[in-house]
Amino acid sequence: MSNNIPKIVVVGGGAGGLELVTKLGKKLGKKGKAEVTLVDSTHTHIWKPLLHEVAAGTLDSHEDEIEYLGQANCSGFRFRLGRMDGLDREKKQISVAPTLNQEGVEIIPRRSFDYDYLVVSVGSISHDFGIKGVREHCLFLDTTKQAETFQNKLLQAYLRAHTQGKPLHEGQLNIAIVGAGATGIELSAQLHEVSHLLTAYGLDEVNPQDVHISIIEAADRILPGLPENISDATLSELKNLGVNVMTGERVVEVNEAEIKTESGKVVPAAIKVWAAGIKAPEFLKDIDGLETNWMNQLVVRQTLQTTMDDDIYAIGDCCACKWQGHDENVPPRAQAAHQMASLVAKSLIHRLNDKVIPEYEYHDYGSLVSLGRYSTVGNLMGNLSRGSMLIEGFMARMMYLSLYKMHQVALFGPFRVVMLSLSHLFRRSVHPKIKLH
Ligand SMILES: Cc1cc2nc3c(=O)[nH]c(=O)nc-3n(C[C@H](O)[C@H](O)[C@H](O)COP(=O)(O)OP(=O)(O)OC[C@H]3O[C@@H](n4cnc5c(N)ncnc54)[C@H](O)[C@@H]3O)c2cc1C
């Protein structure tokens, strides 16, 4: 360890990474027991499960984003901007690509950071499975920028339809979402709500019925990763909203005007969203001998240390961690990233104090799917429900909202979260319910 102060570098300040550096900064950084550094490719953090609301325009990303430099300043860690693209395990060094501005001019040169302990928490991106036309013609919801691009495109389509003075052509306001996981389902319900709000806010040449929302899913039911009773309850809500749900349909090609499936179906759509599966970022695939799986995820042991290197941990969506007692890995969810961040914080503090390090066990508290103002559906797991119990309505909504509140509490503490929630309420009372530019 250099200068006797261990260097802890965390790459990726998302649902897991930002909670981790906040904890480590407060427990070690502020006390001078370690130098804690966060490296992220963007300046700000937004909790990813909010991105479908940003895409629909029901949430302004600027309201809920957190500046890394500000969080670092009050939590005892350092923030360094940049995209990690390499690793030298022998030198214990990560390398970070040059940062360019919007005009493509280099503002920060390539640089490297030394570590004694490294935590990789770079999340995931959408997996297009190499299907023809997906990258070129679909929108994705992996980053705030992509969600904002979607919102712009949606608004422009509305404005065009509102002012064109002639009937809409076939598929002009069709939106097709590929993937009926939580992201696709939640987005479809938000878009339904938005179509009514935009008409109410004056784009009234467009009838909400002119907006056709389709969901295309390869599995034989929606929400294939969740219990069947949740799929059934959600499907009936979507049918009430008039969302066209197609299951058992594998997409084979996407072009500018339509989506084609293996069975020969053709779905015309002006706006196409890809939300069907994830993988970890490409740069992890062959990164200095660390073990990865087919989704580029770093394979970790129950301690969340990578299989090849005790000093490198991986948490959240970018790690493959065995789910004890199950045939599958821990699912890529915000609650898993949150739990892993807590475990690695404890593990690193124990290591600095020569104590035995803990092992991770995933606690599945259930899953909730928000259908915007219409409903929330989900299941509760564990002692409270003795197994899995379906919940719906107000109770489910409150639990859904509490997930984000828990993330905020981990970052700001309970008092500031109450203040934030109040200010959010006041803001909502004077601003439109939807972003209109
Ligand atoms: C639209 C949407 C809705 C979702 N809804 C839910 C939900 O309701 N419930 C739920 O449990 N989960 C949900 N998820 C999944 C959940 O958001 C993820 O499981 C969770 O965010 C994973 O956390 P993470 O810390 O692993 O990564 P992320 O939160 O994705 O953070 C990754 C961070 O790494 C940074 N980064 C990436 N590459 C690099 C690099 N090379 N160098 C430096 N920094 C880098 C990124 O900028 C980002 O800040 C949703 C996801 C999406 C996209």
Side-chain angles (χ1 to χ4, degrees):
M1 271 166 224
S2 38
N3 306 330
N4 288 334
I5 301 179
K7 287 185 164 70
I8 301 173
V9 173
V10 177
V11 184
L18 190 56
E19 290 189 14
L20 175 63
V21 282
T22 300
K23 271 202 177 88
L24 291 175
K26 285 182 178 161
K27 297 215 160 133
L28 301 174
K30 276 190 173 175
K31 295 176 183 159
K33 293 184 177 169
E35 183 185 279
V36 182
T37 304
L38 170 69
V39 177
D40 199 287
S41 50
T42 59
H43 293 270
T44 56
H45 161 84
I46 190 156
W47 199 58
K48 241 174 134 178
L50 296 176
L51 286 184
H52 65 276
E53 294 182 37
V54 175
T58 46
L59 181 86
D60 185 342
S61 61
H62 302 293
E63 274 183 25
D64 274 76
E65 67 187 353
I66 298 166
E67 309 260 6
Y68 287 125
L69 279 172
Q71 181 72 5
N73 184 43
C74 60
S75 307
F77 64 89
R78 305 187 312 168
F79 170 64
R80 296 293 178 259
L81 179 69
R83 178 172 293 280
M84 175 182 173
D85 63 356
L87 170 70
D88 187 330
R89 282 166 56 206
E90 213 177 293
K91 286 191 190 156
K92 297 192 115 188
Q93 217 172 52
I94 62 159
S95 60
V96 171
T99 302
L100 314 179
N101 68 11
Q102 280 168 338
E103 288 80 43
V105 177
E106 183 176 297
I107 49 167
I108 307 174
R110 171 169 289 284
R111 51 191 175 155
S112 55
F113 296 99
D114 297 335
Y115 65 83
D116 294 301
Y117 304 105
L118 173 67
V119 184
V120 184
S121 51
V122 291
S124 59
I125 52 172
S126 300
H127 201 330
D128 65 10
F129 305 101
I131 296 168
K132 193 173 164 198
V134 173
R135 281 280 140 204
E136 297 82 350
H137 301 292
C138 287
L139 297 163
F140 299 87
L141 293 187
D142 295 332
T143 62
T144 312
K145 211 169 158 196
Q146 290 173 344
E148 286 169 349
T149 303
F150 179 97
Q151 195 259 337
N152 277 330
K153 204 163 172 176
L154 180 69
L155 205 53
Q156 282 165 19
Y158 256 85
L159 286 168
R160 196 173 295 125
H162 172 68
T163 51
Q164 71 188 27
K166 55 181 182 187
L168 304 186
H169 64 74
E170 156 122 49
Q172 184 172 342
L173 284 181
N174 285 13
I175 304 170
I177 301 165
V178 184
T183 304
I185 301 286
E186 291 183 343
L187 179 65
S188 69
Q190 287 283 328
L191 291 174
H192 184 272
E193 183 178 345
V194 162
S195 63
H196 287 78
L197 283 172
L198 285 172
T199 306
Y201 278 113
L203 300 186
D204 46 12
E205 292 297 318
V206 182
N207 184 333
Q209 269 73 46
D210 294 332
V211 181
H212 300 283
I213 303 167
S214 301
I215 298 181
I216 309 168
E217 167 62 49
D220 59 3
R221 64 181 173 93
I222 63 166
L223 298 169
L226 299 185
E228 222 163 319
N229 55 354
I230 301 186
S231 300
D232 295 343
T234 310
L235 183 62
S236 84
E237 292 284 351
L238 291 179
K239 280 191 175 155
N240 289 340
L241 299 182
V243 175
N244 170 31
V245 179
M246 302 163 69
T247 50
E249 292 292 344
R250 189 174 297 280
V251 171
V252 288
E253 190 186 331
V254 181
N255 61 40
E256 198 172 350
E258 60 209 9
I259 295 179
K260 296 178 181 172
T261 72
E262 200 171 41
S263 72
K265 294 215 168 69
V266 175
V267 183
I271 299 181
K272 298 163 279 296
V273 188
W274 191 262
I278 58 140
K279 62 178 178 180
E282 288 297 324
F283 80 96
L284 291 180
K285 199 181 332 190
D286 294 308
I287 194 152
D288 204 10
L290 294 180
E291 186 188 355
T292 50
N293 65 7
W294 67 276
M295 291 162 71
N296 305 334
Q297 289 171 312
L298 294 169
V299 182
V300 295
R301 289 168 269 153
Q302 291 311 124
T303 54
L304 301 181
Q305 291 162 299
T306 51
T307 47
M308 299 292 170
D309 195 321
D310 280 358
D311 294 335
I312 302 182
Y313 292 75
I315 63 170
D317 287 7
C318 72
C319 82
C321 175
K322 176 101 191 61
W323 185 358
Q324 282 172 329
H326 292 74
D327 295 333
E328 53 200 293
N329 286 334
V330 174
R333 298 216 186 118
Q335 59 174 311
H338 166 78
Q339 292 170 17
M340 289 177 171
S342 301
L343 184 115
V344 170
K346 203 183 273 176
S347 177
L348 288 169
I349 292 167
H350 279 205
R351 281 182 81 167
L352 298 188
N353 292 307
D354 291 325
K355 287 190 188 162
V356 179
I357 56 172
E359 294 205 338
Y360 176 63
E361 194 183 334
Y362 175 55
H363 295 287
D364 184 3
Y365 294 109
S367 300
L368 294 157
V369 181
S370 164
L371 301 172
R373 73 179 168 90
Y374 306 110
S375 181
T376 302
V377 185
N379 68 329
L380 276 186
M381 303 285 289
N383 297 339
L384 201 60
S385 58
R386 293 195 185 87
S388 165
M389 181 179 81
L390 180 77
I391 50 166
E392 268 184 273
F394 181 74
M395 164 96 165
R397 182 77 196 148
M398 287 302 106
M399 299 199 76
Y400 182 84
L401 294 176
S402 72
L403 273 177
Y404 182 41
K405 291 291 160 218
M406 271 167 55
H407 177 60
Q408 288 184 312
V409 168
L411 300 180
F412 305 125
F415 176 72
R416 284 170 72 198
V417 172
V418 172
M419 292 296 136
L420 267 175
S421 306
L422 285 175
S423 84
H424 190 70
L425 269 181
F426 288 130
R427 258 200 324 257
R428 288 254 133 175
S429 67
V430 290
H431 289 291
K433 289 182 177 150
I434 179 172
K435 196 162 172 270
L436 295 165
H437 64 277

